[in-house]
Amino acid sequence: KSCQKPVDKYIEYDPVIILINAVLCKAQAYRHILFNTKINIHGKLCIFCLLCEAYIRWLQLQGSSQTTDPDDLIRYAKEWDFYRMFGIASLEQTSFFIGIFITLWWVTPEMLKRKSDFILLLKALLLSTYGKLLLIPAVIWEHDYTPLCLAFIKVFVLISNSQAIRVTLNLNRILPWFAIFFGLILENGVVCLFQKMGWDV
């Protein structure tokens, strides 16, 4: 019903091929993963991606105030800044998702009538943030182009989010981007709020 085809062609495909097609943001691969597989790693993947994001922010925060004093290195390991960055990243992602849900519910309330529709869309959004795992090689292979790499990773994650919304709710291409735009506005509002409170974000 969701694929609009007699059978899902990805049932016969190797998982590696399915993963490559998902990385290429093919709608059929997303449909297969969301509707015809029993993947149950949404929560773990979300936590791991948030840890990666928090670590990148923590590194940038520590990089702005580096010292070579051994006493400071001991304090460096005990700081709670990493946990604060994890909390901020979690709040930002939550506000981004809330912005998407509010927009979609406002524009197409008939699509999100049941609780199961909300849960399916949330799972799809959590799975589609897998692009944040690319932050790990960006940290390992640290070079002068790291800010550009981070920008590309952000764009890739947004494209994946768009495909996840489109496939889950069977929408055209414009409405998911509209929802993502409002999600980004809400997320940036949270960032501005933290900055006004004097927090390094």
Side-chain angles (χ1 to χ4, degrees):
K1 185 169 132 183
S2 297
C3 296
Q4 312 288 323
K5 306 260 180 185
V7 70
D8 178 8
K9 69 176 185 177
Y10 283 99
I11 288 172
E12 299 177 348
Y13 282 30
D14 190 75
V16 175
I17 304 287
I18 297 167
L19 181 64
I20 290 169
N21 283 331
V23 168
L24 293 172
C25 293
K26 292 198 173 183
Q28 287 179 322
Y30 273 79
R31 277 192 199 98
H32 173 76
I33 291 167
L34 292 171
F35 295 110
N36 295 331
T37 58
K38 294 181 180 176
I39 294 178
N40 222 359
I41 59 165
H42 312 90
K44 292 175 186 173
L45 182 65
C46 175
I47 296 292
F48 193 69
C49 288
L50 286 172
L51 284 170
C52 292
E53 194 168 341
Y55 183 70
I56 287 282
R57 293 172 183 217
W58 185 63
L59 265 183
Q60 290 172 343
L61 183 70
Q62 296 303 328
S64 63
S65 60
Q66 281 185 346
T67 57
T68 54
D69 189 357
D71 294 334
D72 285 338
L73 290 174
I74 294 168
R75 237 180 294 128
Y76 179 86
K78 295 182 179 179
E79 285 181 1
W80 286 85
D81 281 339
F82 175 77
Y83 301 108
R84 184 168 58 90
M85 290 297 145
F86 179 81
I88 290 170
S90 302
L91 284 172
E92 284 178 11
Q93 184 163 353
T94 303
S95 60
F96 176 67
F97 287 167
I98 287 171
I100 289 173
F101 279 110
I102 288 171
T103 307
L104 291 172
W105 183 78
W106 177 60
V107 175
T108 58
E110 69 279 356
M111 293 276 185
L112 297 169
K113 279 190 230 175
R114 295 171 307 211
K115 183 181 175 184
S116 59
D117 296 330
F118 277 102
I119 291 170
L120 181 64
L121 182 57
L122 179 63
K123 285 181 177 180
L125 285 170
L126 290 174
L127 276 177
S128 66
T129 59
Y130 70 92
K132 289 184 180 178
L133 296 176
L134 294 171
L135 292 169
I136 296 168
V139 171
I140 293 170
W141 300 320
E142 189 179 336
H143 49 71
D144 295 339
Y145 304 110
T146 300
L148 185 63
C149 290
L150 298 180
F152 278 129
I153 290 168
K154 179 76 171 172
V155 169
F156 178 73
V157 170
L158 292 177
I159 291 169
S160 298
N161 291 152
S162 167
Q163 282 292 67
I165 295 168
R166 185 173 157 233
V167 165
T168 306
L169 301 178
N170 206 14
L171 299 170
N172 60 14
R173 292 177 191 268
I174 297 167
L175 190 54
W177 281 109
F178 185 65
I180 285 171
F181 176 72
F182 278 99
L184 286 172
I185 288 174
L186 193 59
E187 180 184 349
N188 287 326
V190 170
V191 170
C192 289
L193 181 68
F194 286 138
Q195 286 172 343
K196 281 186 180 177
M197 290 167 60
W199 289 12
D200 291 320
V201 180

